[in-house]
Amino acid sequence: MGRQPCCDKAGVKKGPWTPEEDLILVSYIQQHGPGNWRAFPTKTGLLRCSKSCRLRWTNYLRPGIKRGNFTENEEKMIIHLQALLGNRWAAIASYLPERTDNDIKNYWNTHLKKKLKKLQGNEGSSRYGFSSSSSSYQICRGQWERKLQTDIHMAKKDLSDALSPEKSSDHTSYPKPSGYASSTENIAKLLKGWMRNNPWKMADSTDYSEEGTDPMKEDKNSKEMAEAFQSHLGFESLDSSLSDISPSMSPEASHSQYESKQHVNAQSQLSMLEKWLFDEGKDYQLCDNILDQNVLFF
DNA sequence: AACCGCCCCAACCGCTTCAGA
DNA sequence: GTCTGAAGCGGTTGGGGCGGT
Protein backbone atom coordinates (compact mmCIF):
# COMPACT_ATOMS: atom_id res chain seq x y z
CA MET A 1 0.00 0.00 0.00
CA GLY A 2 1.67 3.14 -1.06
CA ARG A 3 0.67 6.51 -2.12
CA GLN A 4 -1.13 6.58 -5.42
CA PRO A 5 1.13 7.68 -8.24
CA CYS A 6 0.33 11.14 -9.50
CA CYS A 7 -0.52 9.68 -12.84
CA ASP A 8 -0.96 6.44 -14.62
CA LYS A 9 2.48 5.00 -15.19
CA ALA A 10 1.38 3.23 -18.34
CA GLY A 11 1.36 5.45 -21.38
CA VAL A 12 3.11 8.32 -19.67
CA LYS A 13 6.19 9.54 -21.40
CA LYS A 14 9.31 10.22 -19.37
CA GLY A 15 12.68 11.73 -20.06
CA PRO A 16 13.73 14.84 -21.89
CA TRP A 17 11.11 17.04 -23.50
CA THR A 18 11.05 17.47 -27.23
CA PRO A 19 10.60 20.87 -28.89
CA GLU A 20 7.17 19.80 -30.11
CA GLU A 21 6.06 19.04 -26.59
CA ASP A 22 7.45 22.37 -25.41
CA LEU A 23 5.55 24.16 -28.15
CA ILE A 24 2.31 22.47 -27.22
CA LEU A 25 2.80 23.31 -23.59
CA VAL A 26 3.76 26.94 -24.18
CA SER A 27 1.03 27.64 -26.68
CA TYR A 28 -1.59 26.12 -24.44
CA ILE A 29 -0.43 28.19 -21.49
CA GLN A 30 -0.30 31.29 -23.64
CA GLN A 31 -3.95 30.79 -24.47
CA HIS A 32 -5.26 29.63 -21.14
CA GLY A 33 -2.69 30.56 -18.56
CA PRO A 34 -1.09 28.10 -16.17
CA GLY A 35 -3.06 26.30 -13.53
CA ASN A 36 -5.11 23.13 -13.32
CA TRP A 37 -2.04 21.10 -14.14
CA ARG A 38 -3.98 17.95 -13.48
CA ALA A 39 -6.06 18.51 -16.58
CA PHE A 40 -3.10 19.55 -18.69
CA PRO A 41 -2.17 16.22 -20.24
CA THR A 42 -5.73 15.45 -21.32
CA LYS A 43 -6.41 18.95 -22.60
CA THR A 44 -3.18 19.22 -24.55
CA GLY A 45 -2.87 15.60 -25.55
CA LEU A 46 0.62 15.47 -24.12
CA LEU A 47 1.65 12.05 -22.90
CA ARG A 48 3.20 13.56 -19.80
CA CYS A 49 2.12 13.53 -16.21
CA SER A 50 0.81 16.76 -14.78
CA LYS A 51 3.80 17.18 -12.52
CA SER A 52 6.16 16.87 -15.41
CA CYS A 53 4.22 19.58 -17.28
CA ARG A 54 4.27 21.93 -14.32
CA LEU A 55 7.96 21.35 -13.73
CA ARG A 56 8.81 21.87 -17.36
CA TRP A 57 6.93 25.17 -17.33
CA THR A 58 8.23 26.49 -14.04
CA ASN A 59 11.82 25.41 -14.51
CA TYR A 60 12.31 25.94 -18.16
CA LEU A 61 9.61 27.53 -20.29
CA ARG A 62 8.21 30.17 -17.95
CA PRO A 63 8.94 33.70 -19.19
CA GLY A 64 11.64 35.65 -17.47
CA ILE A 65 13.93 32.79 -16.64
CA LYS A 66 17.58 33.63 -16.92
CA ARG A 67 19.84 30.78 -17.84
CA GLY A 68 23.55 30.42 -17.92
CA ASN A 69 26.24 31.48 -15.53
CA PHE A 70 25.43 32.95 -12.17
CA THR A 71 26.90 36.35 -11.48
CA GLU A 72 29.08 37.00 -8.47
CA ASN A 73 26.26 38.95 -6.88
CA GLU A 74 23.81 36.14 -7.42
CA GLU A 75 26.30 33.77 -5.87
CA LYS A 76 26.66 35.95 -2.83
CA MET A 77 22.93 36.33 -2.47
CA ILE A 78 22.46 32.59 -2.63
CA ILE A 79 25.16 32.03 -0.06
CA HIS A 80 23.69 34.59 2.31
CA LEU A 81 20.15 33.40 1.82
CA GLN A 82 21.12 29.78 2.19
CA ALA A 83 22.80 30.64 5.48
CA LEU A 84 19.64 32.38 6.61
CA LEU A 85 16.98 30.10 5.21
CA GLY A 86 18.69 26.75 4.84
CA ASN A 87 17.84 24.57 1.87
CA ARG A 88 14.57 26.31 1.17
CA TRP A 89 15.26 26.73 -2.46
CA ALA A 90 11.85 28.06 -3.36
CA ALA A 91 12.19 30.79 -0.73
CA ILE A 92 15.68 31.61 -1.94
CA ALA A 93 14.49 31.64 -5.53
CA SER A 94 11.82 34.16 -4.65
CA TYR A 95 14.61 36.65 -4.00
CA LEU A 96 16.18 35.84 -7.36
CA PRO A 97 13.12 36.00 -9.60
CA GLU A 98 15.07 35.24 -12.76
CA ARG A 99 16.32 31.95 -11.37
CA THR A 100 14.34 28.84 -10.61
CA ASP A 101 14.60 26.93 -7.38
CA ASN A 102 15.89 23.96 -9.33
CA ASP A 103 18.61 26.09 -10.89
CA ILE A 104 19.65 27.49 -7.56
CA LYS A 105 19.58 24.07 -5.95
CA ASN A 106 21.71 22.61 -8.71
CA TYR A 107 24.12 25.51 -8.59
CA TRP A 108 24.42 25.18 -4.84
CA ASN A 109 25.05 21.47 -4.98
CA THR A 110 27.49 21.57 -7.84
CA HIS A 111 29.39 24.79 -7.30
CA LEU A 112 28.76 26.73 -4.15
CA LYS A 113 29.03 23.85 -1.69
CA LYS A 114 32.48 23.07 -2.95
CA LYS A 115 33.44 26.70 -3.12
CA LEU A 116 32.40 27.30 0.46
CA LYS A 117 34.14 24.16 1.64
CA LYS A 118 37.28 25.38 0.00
CA LEU A 119 36.89 28.82 1.50
CA GLN A 120 36.25 27.42 4.92
CA GLY A 121 39.25 25.18 4.55
CA ASN A 122 41.39 28.17 3.69
CA GLU A 123 40.09 30.61 6.21
CA GLY A 124 39.02 28.45 9.11
CA SER A 125 35.78 30.29 9.57
CA SER A 126 34.05 31.47 6.47
CA ARG A 127 33.69 35.13 5.78
CA TYR A 128 30.17 34.34 4.75
CA GLY A 129 29.51 32.42 7.74
CA PHE A 130 27.59 32.56 10.72
CA SER A 131 28.62 29.28 12.15
CA SER A 132 25.33 27.51 12.09
CA SER A 133 25.95 26.17 15.56
CA SER A 134 26.08 29.66 17.00
CA SER A 135 23.16 30.18 19.30
CA SER A 136 22.73 33.82 18.38
CA TYR A 137 22.59 32.77 14.78
CA GLN A 138 19.94 30.20 15.59
CA ILE A 139 17.82 32.77 17.36
CA CYS A 140 18.32 35.22 14.56
CA ARG A 141 17.42 32.62 12.01
CA GLY A 142 14.28 31.60 13.85
CA GLN A 143 13.11 35.16 13.99
CA TRP A 144 14.02 35.72 10.40
CA GLU A 145 11.93 32.74 9.42
CA ARG A 146 8.96 34.05 11.33
CA LYS A 147 9.48 37.40 9.69
CA LEU A 148 9.55 35.75 6.33
CA GLN A 149 6.29 33.96 7.00
CA THR A 150 4.69 37.20 8.08
CA ASP A 151 6.01 38.88 4.97
CA ILE A 152 4.61 36.22 2.74
CA HIS A 153 1.27 36.28 4.45
CA MET A 154 1.04 40.05 4.16
CA ALA A 155 2.18 39.99 0.58
CA LYS A 156 -0.43 37.41 -0.28
CA LYS A 157 -3.09 39.53 1.29
CA ASP A 158 -1.90 42.61 -0.56
CA LEU A 159 -1.81 40.67 -3.77
CA SER A 160 -5.32 39.32 -3.39
CA ASP A 161 -6.53 42.82 -2.52
CA ALA A 162 -4.83 44.22 -5.55
CA LEU A 163 -6.34 41.59 -7.75
CA SER A 164 -9.89 41.95 -6.54
CA PRO A 165 -12.03 43.21 -9.44
CA GLU A 166 -13.07 46.52 -7.91
CA LYS A 167 -9.52 47.50 -7.06
CA SER A 168 -7.49 46.27 -9.95
CA SER A 169 -7.02 48.37 -13.03
CA ASP A 170 -6.50 45.22 -15.05
CA HIS A 171 -3.19 45.37 -16.88
CA THR A 172 -3.85 42.05 -18.46
CA SER A 173 -6.63 39.65 -19.15
CA TYR A 174 -4.99 37.13 -16.85
CA PRO A 175 -5.38 37.33 -13.13
CA LYS A 176 -1.80 38.33 -12.50
CA PRO A 177 0.80 40.28 -14.41
CA SER A 178 3.09 37.45 -15.17
CA GLY A 179 3.91 38.48 -18.69
CA TYR A 180 2.52 35.64 -20.69
CA ALA A 181 2.87 37.69 -23.81
CA SER A 182 6.54 37.04 -23.67
CA SER A 183 5.80 33.40 -24.12
CA THR A 184 5.84 34.34 -27.76
CA GLU A 185 9.53 34.94 -27.29
CA ASN A 186 9.87 31.46 -25.91
CA ILE A 187 7.93 30.06 -28.79
CA ALA A 188 10.12 32.00 -31.16
CA LYS A 189 13.15 30.57 -29.42
CA LEU A 190 11.71 27.11 -29.65
CA LEU A 191 10.94 27.52 -33.30
CA LYS A 192 14.36 28.93 -33.93
CA GLY A 193 15.96 25.94 -32.30
CA TRP A 194 13.53 23.67 -33.97
CA MET A 195 14.25 25.07 -37.40
CA ARG A 196 17.96 25.07 -36.81
CA ASN A 197 17.84 21.48 -35.69
CA ASN A 198 15.39 20.41 -38.30
CA PRO A 199 12.72 17.87 -37.40
CA TRP A 200 14.70 15.08 -38.94
CA LYS A 201 17.47 15.40 -36.42
CA MET A 202 15.43 16.56 -33.52
CA ALA A 203 17.09 14.37 -30.99
CA ASP A 204 20.16 16.54 -30.63
CA SER A 205 18.33 19.82 -30.56
CA THR A 206 19.15 21.68 -27.44
CA ASP A 207 19.78 25.06 -29.01
CA TYR A 208 16.35 26.26 -28.12
CA SER A 209 17.35 26.02 -24.55
CA GLU A 210 20.33 28.24 -24.94
CA GLU A 211 20.92 31.04 -22.59
CA GLY A 212 17.90 33.25 -22.65
CA THR A 213 18.14 36.82 -21.49
CA ASP A 214 14.50 37.72 -21.30
CA PRO A 215 13.91 40.67 -19.11
CA MET A 216 12.68 39.66 -15.76
CA LYS A 217 8.95 39.18 -15.59
CA GLU A 218 7.17 39.44 -12.38
CA ASP A 219 5.81 36.16 -11.24
CA LYS A 220 3.71 35.65 -8.18
CA ASN A 221 6.60 34.96 -5.91
CA SER A 222 8.69 37.84 -7.01
CA LYS A 223 5.79 40.17 -6.64
CA GLU A 224 5.04 38.88 -3.21
CA MET A 225 8.60 39.20 -2.11
CA ALA A 226 9.06 42.58 -3.73
CA GLU A 227 6.02 43.76 -1.85
CA ALA A 228 7.27 42.21 1.30
CA PHE A 229 10.50 44.06 0.93
CA GLN A 230 8.71 47.24 0.06
CA SER A 231 6.67 46.95 3.18
CA HIS A 232 9.71 46.51 5.35
CA LEU A 233 12.35 48.51 3.66
CA GLY A 234 10.18 51.32 2.45
CA PHE A 235 10.67 50.82 -1.24
CA GLU A 236 8.50 52.81 -3.54
CA SER A 237 5.50 50.90 -4.76
CA LEU A 238 6.18 48.81 -7.78
CA ASP A 239 2.78 49.55 -9.17
CA SER A 240 3.18 53.27 -8.99
CA SER A 241 5.77 53.11 -11.69
CA LEU A 242 3.29 51.40 -13.93
CA SER A 243 0.69 54.10 -13.69
CA ASP A 244 2.29 56.26 -16.32
CA ILE A 245 1.89 53.67 -19.02
CA SER A 246 -0.55 55.28 -21.37
CA PRO A 247 -3.80 53.38 -21.77
CA SER A 248 -3.99 54.55 -25.35
CA MET A 249 -0.80 52.75 -26.26
CA SER A 250 -0.93 49.73 -28.44
CA PRO A 251 -0.98 46.53 -26.43
CA GLU A 252 2.48 45.64 -27.69
CA ALA A 253 3.95 49.02 -26.84
CA SER A 254 2.37 49.20 -23.44
CA HIS A 255 3.35 45.65 -22.70
CA SER A 256 6.89 46.33 -23.67
CA GLN A 257 6.96 49.50 -21.59
CA TYR A 258 5.30 47.62 -18.77
CA GLU A 259 7.98 44.97 -18.94
CA SER A 260 10.84 47.37 -19.12
CA LYS A 261 9.42 49.36 -16.21
CA GLN A 262 9.10 46.20 -14.23
CA HIS A 263 12.57 45.22 -15.20
CA VAL A 264 14.16 48.49 -14.20
CA ASN A 265 12.14 48.70 -11.04
CA ALA A 266 12.72 45.16 -9.96
CA GLN A 267 16.36 45.46 -10.83
CA SER A 268 16.75 48.54 -8.70
CA GLN A 269 14.97 46.84 -5.86
CA LEU A 270 17.12 43.81 -6.22
CA SER A 271 20.24 45.87 -6.33
CA MET A 272 19.15 47.51 -3.09
CA LEU A 273 18.57 44.09 -1.66
CA GLU A 274 21.93 42.99 -2.92
CA LYS A 275 23.58 46.02 -1.38
CA TRP A 276 21.82 45.26 1.83
CA LEU A 277 22.98 41.68 1.72
CA PHE A 278 26.50 42.32 0.58
CA ASP A 279 27.57 44.91 3.06
CA GLU A 280 30.91 43.51 4.03
CA GLY A 281 31.33 42.26 7.55
CA LYS A 282 27.77 42.90 8.53
CA ASP A 283 26.50 39.43 8.91
CA TYR A 284 25.39 39.85 12.45
CA GLN A 285 24.39 43.41 11.95
CA LEU A 286 22.14 42.12 9.19
CA CYS A 287 20.27 40.04 11.71
CA ASP A 288 20.07 42.94 14.11
CA ASN A 289 18.67 45.16 11.41
CA ILE A 290 16.09 42.60 10.46
CA LEU A 291 15.08 42.23 14.05
CA ASP A 292 14.95 45.98 14.53
CA GLN A 293 12.77 46.42 11.51
CA ASN A 294 10.42 43.68 12.53
CA VAL A 295 10.09 44.38 16.17
CA LEU A 296 6.58 45.61 15.45
CA PHE A 297 5.55 42.23 14.17
CA PHE A 298 6.31 40.23 17.26
C1' DA B 1 40.18 6.94 -31.88
C1' DA B 2 38.56 4.72 -27.88
C1' DC B 3 37.83 4.48 -23.26
C1' DC B 4 37.07 6.22 -18.68
C1' DG B 5 35.67 9.08 -15.04
C1' DC B 6 33.84 13.28 -13.55
C1' DC B 7 30.61 17.07 -13.80
C1' DC B 8 26.39 19.26 -14.65
C1' DC B 9 21.62 19.80 -15.01
C1' DA B 10 16.95 18.41 -16.51
C1' DA B 11 13.72 15.55 -14.83
C1' DC B 12 11.77 12.36 -11.62
C1' DC B 13 10.13 10.71 -7.03
C1' DG B 14 7.93 10.97 -2.94
C1' DC B 15 6.74 13.69 1.00
C1' DT B 16 4.42 17.88 2.69
C1' DT B 17 1.28 21.54 2.44
C1' DC B 18 -2.76 23.72 0.82
C1' DA B 19 -7.49 24.35 -0.37
C1' DG B 20 -12.03 23.05 -1.18
C1' DA B 21 -15.89 19.92 -0.22
C1' DG C 1 -12.85 19.03 12.11
C1' DT C 2 -11.91 15.60 8.56
C1' DC C 3 -11.00 13.93 4.13
C1' DT C 4 -9.22 14.10 -0.39
C1' DG C 5 -7.15 15.71 -4.52
C1' DA C 6 -3.98 19.09 -6.35
C1' DA C 7 0.05 21.70 -6.12
C1' DG C 8 4.51 22.75 -4.13
C1' DC C 9 8.90 21.52 -2.63
C1' DG C 10 13.44 19.40 -1.84
C1' DG C 11 16.32 15.32 -2.47
C1' DT C 12 18.00 12.31 -5.80
C1' DT C 13 19.02 10.21 -10.21
C1' DG C 14 20.45 9.33 -14.87
C1' DG C 15 22.25 10.54 -19.09
C1' DG C 16 24.84 13.59 -22.00
C1' DG C 17 28.94 16.37 -22.47
C1' DC C 18 33.64 17.00 -21.84
C1' DG C 19 38.37 16.60 -20.54
C1' DG C 20 42.15 13.48 -19.56
C1' DT C 21 44.70 9.41 -20.62
Side-chain angles (χ1 to χ4, degrees), chain A residues 204-263:
Chain A
D204 65 345
S205 70
T206 49
D207 283 7
Y208 68 94
S209 69
E210 273 170 10
E211 187 169 332
T213 52
D214 287 347
M216 186 187 72
K217 314 303 186 305
E218 187 178 30
D219 63 16
K220 184 179 163 192
N221 277 342
S222 65
K223 184 170 172 67
E224 283 177 4
M225 298 318 298
E227 286 178 2
F229 266 88
Q230 284 164 25
S231 71
H232 287 290
L233 304 178
F235 290 144
E236 200 181 352
S237 161
L238 192 67
D239 286 334
S240 68
S241 68
L242 304 173
S243 59
D244 57 352
I245 296 175
S246 160
S248 61
M249 264 182 201
S250 72
E252 292 79 10
S254 65
H255 175 74
S256 125
Q257 187 176 346
Y258 172 67
E259 280 190 347
S260 68
K261 285 267 178 190
Q262 279 184 301
H263 184 59

Side-chain angles (χ1 to χ4, degrees), chain A residues 86-264:
Chain A
N87 293 356
R88 295 180 188 178
W89 306 117
I92 293 171
S94 70
Y95 290 85
L96 293 157
E98 295 177 297
R99 301 290 187 179
T100 68
D101 54 351
N102 208 33
D103 249 0
I104 293 171
K105 182 172 61 181
N106 281 334
Y107 192 66
W108 174 264
N109 287 330
T110 55
H111 294 93
L112 294 180
K113 247 181 178 174
K114 290 175 202 163
K115 211 169 180 175
L116 278 182
K117 225 175 195 174
K118 216 172 170 184
L119 268 174
Q120 279 171 343
N122 289 344
E123 298 178 23
S125 66
S126 161
R127 65 167 280 262
Y128 294 116
F130 327 108
S131 130
S132 47
S133 60
S134 140
S135 62
S136 64
Y137 165 71
Q138 291 294 350
I139 292 164
C140 173
R141 179 171 154 170
Q143 298 203 17
W144 164 260
E145 284 169 351
R146 278 194 293 160
K147 178 257 178 199
L148 197 66
Q149 281 170 359
T150 310
D151 277 354
I152 290 168
H153 180 257
M154 288 175 63
K156 275 183 177 164
K157 188 176 174 300
D158 289 348
L159 187 63
S160 72
D161 286 351
L163 292 174
S164 67
E166 63 273 19
K167 289 180 193 169
S168 75
S169 56
D170 194 26
H171 294 307
T172 160
S173 55
Y174 294 120
K176 59 185 180 182
S178 43
Y180 294 120
S182 65
S183 289
T184 53
E185 293 167 33
N186 280 15
I187 293 171
K189 268 192 282 176
L190 292 173
L191 280 170
K192 203 171 138 194
W194 197 14
M195 297 302 279
R196 204 181 307 154
N197 307 279
N198 63 64
W200 297 277
K201 51 168 191 169
M202 198 82 72
D204 65 345
S205 70
T206 49
D207 283 7
Y208 68 94
S209 69
E210 273 170 10
E211 187 169 332
T213 52
D214 287 347
M216 186 187 72
K217 314 303 186 305
E218 187 178 30
D219 63 16
K220 184 179 163 192
N221 277 342
S222 65
K223 184 170 172 67
E224 283 177 4
M225 298 318 298
E227 286 178 2
F229 266 88
Q230 284 164 25
S231 71
H232 287 290
L233 304 178
F235 290 144
E236 200 181 352
S237 161
L238 192 67
D239 286 334
S240 68
S241 68
L242 304 173
S243 59
D244 57 352
I245 296 175
S246 160
S248 61
M249 264 182 201
S250 72
E252 292 79 10
S254 65
H255 175 74
S256 125
Q257 187 176 346
Y258 172 67
E259 280 190 347
S260 68
K261 285 267 178 190
Q262 279 184 301
H263 184 59
V264 168

